[in-house]
Amino acid sequence: METFGDDLETMRRVPLAEDHVAAICEIGHECSYAQGEMVAELGAAMDRFVYVIEGEIEVVDPFSGERLLPSGLGPTQFMGDIAFLNGGTYTLGMRAAKPTRTIEAPREDMLDLMARVPELSDHIITVFAARRRRQFEENRSAIKLIGADRDADVQRCERFLSRNRIPFQSYDLDTSDEEGSRLCHLVDHEPAVILGGDKPLDEPTPRAIAKALNLDLSVGENETVDLLIVGAGPAGVAAAVYAGAEGMRALAVEDTAIGGQAGTSSRIENYMGFPTGISGTDLIYRGQIQALKFGTRFAMPRRVEGLEELDDHSFCVTLDDGATLCARAILVATGVQYRRLPLAGLEELEGAGVFYAATEMEARFCRNTEVVVVGGGNSAGQAAMYLSRAARHVHVVVRGNSLADSMSDYLTRRLEADARVTLHYGTQVSELHGEGRLSAVTLDTPDGPLEIQSRALFIMIGAAPNTGWLADHIELDDRGFVLTGDRVDRDSAYETSRQGIFAVGDVRAGSVKRVASAVGEGSVAVSRIWAHVDQMRRAEAIGAAA
């Protein structure tokens, strides 16, 4: 069943089958709510599945306390969105609009029922996904961001929310919108993040938001998962799908947002099955929903900083806050990150005119300005085509004299034919200008210096692997990419020099740097990982019996 193609209104008219409702009743209990009583508070955990028998449940405006939407949830409908699968929280409160009766089943029991009854699972996940999509597209949420146009910290929060498809509203500090003006006044016209009510976050960071939304899953130190997937780009999410499908207890840890570098691509046109293209974020988000359906959990933004092998040959990693997590196997899918340019003032301008992703969020900062994109690969080409819709003009800076070896032919031909795009070959960025925000970029061209008045520079060059935490544990090549397979005497093409640690995707030495190949590697590697995990389980069982 297509997860995103069905219309939510159509799904609302299709009630759950009688035997499915009966199954929910067996694991749940009946609850009653008086008119005006809260069924779920803003920020409450989605720890139960709520099915409406009688009455109506409405969405509450967190600021006025009034009904937010004209329609509510009536008999045969159910509460929640896709966050239910990962144990997230409600981003809007839910209240009984009239005397209401419900059947409520504990989340874990409901997930178990969904795993056993695929038709029920398909129906619920379709509604959950469509509901989240509409919330995101219509910006229906108690999460309010103020001043992303001026503040790099708030902009990082906006990027985190946007790339993880979490609904929010964002207002510039000089907005004329009535609600935006009220919120700006509430925070004394300073950049801020509000998660409902009238209280801004003390420190607006992605981690603070994730904690409030229960996205940085609290993992007990005594828990050992079968597979820890480090990185949730195409390779990591594909592995998460197949690991869950094979019955492994898997957890994916991501330090930024689901999608990795692919998530920054505004439009991927050469991925099979999407002839008109799809954004990297949407593609990987679909995969995440599949993985959640099979029970794989995701924790973010959490960064792995250390690794230790135990006497029983399992592994423990240290996270950025000092917490530890143990697993029978590790899959390294950390991908690569764009290299920084060696330019004075670059770090101060990151998020204030200097960007490393070209999504809808960044595009809004490109209106009425000339844009500079640095890079000769597909990501740079896709960014240039996408940004040309909003920018006055796009300048693509290419260090070499041709794009033939680095960019797909269809992208090269489009760029060369687009009057809104200029390709600068044999050129490099030599200087940045601006106090607190980028105002201009100087290019070193074959014809001499060229200064471009620009408020937006996109850097998409090189590929630095994220493997610093692995250097003392497995073999890497001279550029830091992970060696696997024959190069380290392993039967599996994806096993590293350390048994039980595998690597897939762009971080693996010799891999093809394409989304499709990363997905393929993540999928194929799971069969060998499952065999390793099964062997460890058997050894543990023998040890326990002895």
Side-chain angles (χ1 to χ4, degrees):
M1 178 180 288
E2 171 60 56
T3 303
F4 292 82
D6 297 279
D7 183 77
L8 182 55
E9 296 303 326
T10 299
M11 293 305 300
R12 280 179 168 175
R13 293 192 291 270
V14 182
L16 294 177
E18 289 184 9
D19 57 333
H20 294 164
V21 176
I24 296 171
C25 289
E26 288 182 7
I27 62 172
H29 60 279
E30 185 172 320
C31 294
S32 298
Y33 297 91
Q35 181 176 347
E37 185 177 356
M38 294 300 294
V39 181
E41 296 283 354
L42 169 68
M46 289 190 186
D47 57 3
R48 67 201 198 281
F49 182 82
V50 180
Y51 178 85
V52 182
I53 302 173
E54 181 180 83
E56 182 184 12
I57 296 175
E58 62 185 358
V59 181
V60 182
D61 186 316
F63 298 96
S64 68
E66 301 297 322
R67 183 174 181 140
L68 182 64
L69 302 173
S71 59
L73 298 176
T76 75
Q77 296 180 293
F78 47 88
M79 281 172 40
D81 66 18
I82 209 69
F84 177 83
L85 301 180
N86 205 37
T89 62
Y90 287 94
T91 58
L92 289 167
M94 307 294 292
R95 180 175 60 199
K98 59 179 70 170
T100 298
R101 290 191 303 123
T102 63
I103 292 294
E104 304 190 4
R107 174 178 168 272
E108 293 298 329
D109 293 341
M110 189 64 194
L111 291 177
D112 180 65
L113 176 62
M114 290 167 64
R116 290 185 282 110
V117 185
E119 295 82 8
L120 172 64
S121 176
D122 288 345
H123 187 116
I124 291 173
I125 290 176
T126 298
V127 173
F128 277 173
R131 191 174 284 159
R132 168 58 69 87
R133 180 189 65 191
R134 178 164 294 186
Q135 289 173 343
F136 183 79
E137 291 174 348
E138 296 181 358
N139 304 316
R140 293 204 308 259
S141 173
I143 304 173
K144 314 291 184 182
L145 277 61
I146 314 297
D149 58 322
R150 309 277 183 87
D151 186 85
D153 288 337
V154 177
Q155 193 175 112
R156 277 189 284 270
C157 292
E158 182 172 337
R159 186 176 299 113
F160 172 77
L161 292 166
S162 179
R163 288 185 58 190
N164 285 295
R165 285 296 185 260
I166 299 168
F168 66 95
Q169 286 180 300
S170 184
Y171 300 95
D172 293 344
L173 281 175
D174 59 354
T175 182
S176 58
D177 179 272
E178 182 178 346
E179 182 183 19
S181 298
R182 184 185 69 80
L183 292 170
C184 287
H185 180 73
L186 174 68
V187 296
D188 296 326
H189 294 275
E190 294 291 332
V193 174
I194 300 174
L195 295 184
D198 293 337
K199 182 174 174 53
L201 281 177
D202 292 333
E203 294 185 25
T205 65
R207 180 67 189 280
I209 293 174
K211 289 181 71 174
L213 299 178
N214 204 29
L215 296 175
D216 67 333
L217 296 176
S218 195
V219 181
E221 292 192 4
N222 296 323
E223 180 181 11
T224 298
V225 297
D226 292 324
L227 175 62
L228 175 67
I229 302 168
V230 186
V237 172
V241 172
Y242 281 81
E246 292 298 327
M248 283 191 279
R249 292 175 61 247
L251 172 66
V253 176
E254 169 57 49
D255 71 349
T256 305
I258 301 300
Q261 196 177 95
T264 68
S265 294
S266 54
R267 190 180 185 191
I268 300 172
E269 291 189 72
N270 56 357
Y271 192 87
M272 189 183 73
F274 297 94
T276 59
I278 184 172
S279 74
T281 300
D282 282 340
L283 178 65
I284 308 305
Y285 183 57
R286 291 169 184 246
Q288 183 193 13
I289 292 175
Q290 285 178 285
L292 289 170
K293 170 185 173 180
F294 289 121
T296 299
R297 294 178 296 164
F298 290 79
M300 56 191 176
R302 303 300 294 274
R303 187 173 65 255
V304 173
E305 295 188 338
L307 174 67
E308 177 186 6
E309 184 174 1
L310 304 183
D311 292 339
D312 64 355
H313 301 298
S314 64
F315 301 93
C316 285
V317 300
T318 304
L319 303 179
D320 48 349
D321 63 350
T324 59
L325 173 65
C326 298
R328 295 179 175 88
I330 304 286
L331 180 64
V332 182
T334 49
V336 297
Q337 59 189 7
Y338 293 123
R339 297 184 186 276
R340 286 177 164 175
L341 290 171
L343 295 170
L346 176 70
E347 189 172 348
E348 291 78 7
L349 293 173
E350 288 177 335
V354 175
F355 307 102
Y356 296 89
T359 66
E360 182 179 356
M361 194 206 85
E362 289 83 12
R364 69 188 182 91
F365 298 116
C366 298
R367 296 189 184 95
N368 301 318
T369 188
E370 300 205 13
V371 169
V372 178
V373 177
V374 184
N378 276 5
S379 294
Q382 290 161 352
M385 292 303 303
Y386 178 69
L387 296 171
S388 66
R389 304 173 189 173
R392 186 185 306 147
H393 196 82
V394 176
H395 299 267
V396 180
V397 176
V398 183
R399 185 171 59 179
N401 295 317
S402 169
L403 292 172
D405 295 331
S406 58
M407 187 180 293
S408 295
D409 180 65
Y410 81 93
L411 272 175
T412 301
R413 286 187 282 109
R414 287 186 185 177
L415 292 175
E416 291 174 341
D418 196 330
R420 298 165 297 179
V421 176
T422 298
L423 297 170
H424 299 268
Y425 292 110
T427 299
Q428 299 184 60
V429 176
S430 58
E431 191 175 358
L432 305 179
H433 308 275
E435 292 284 337
R437 183 160 195 85
L438 183 70
S439 60
V441 176
T442 297
L443 306 182
D444 183 8
T445 78
D447 299 322
L450 171 64
E451 184 173 309
I452 298 174
Q453 301 302 308
S454 174
R455 301 191 308 276
L457 169 67
F458 292 81
I459 302 174
M460 297 179 168
I461 58 169
N466 300 309
T467 55
W469 58 285
L470 288 166
D472 297 331
H473 303 280
I474 61 176
E475 292 185 30
L476 309 175
D477 69 9
D478 56 359
R479 294 191 298 159
F481 289 89
V482 180
L483 295 172
T484 60
D486 292 343
R487 301 174 75 170
V488 288
D489 247 354
R490 294 293 180 187
D491 292 334
S492 168
Y494 307 109
E495 190 164 15
T496 71
S497 58
R498 183 69 64 95
Q499 186 177 19
I501 301 180
F502 302 79
V504 291
D506 289 2
V507 75
R508 191 175 69 83
S511 65
V512 178
K513 306 301 188 275
R514 288 290 186 269
V515 173
S517 62
V519 169
E521 290 189 10
S523 307
V524 173
V526 168
S527 61
R528 182 65 187 87
I529 294 171
W530 186 92
H532 173 80
V533 168
D534 185 58
Q535 183 179 17
M536 289 196 67
R537 285 175 177 169
R538 292 174 185 271
E540 290 168 6
I542 293 172

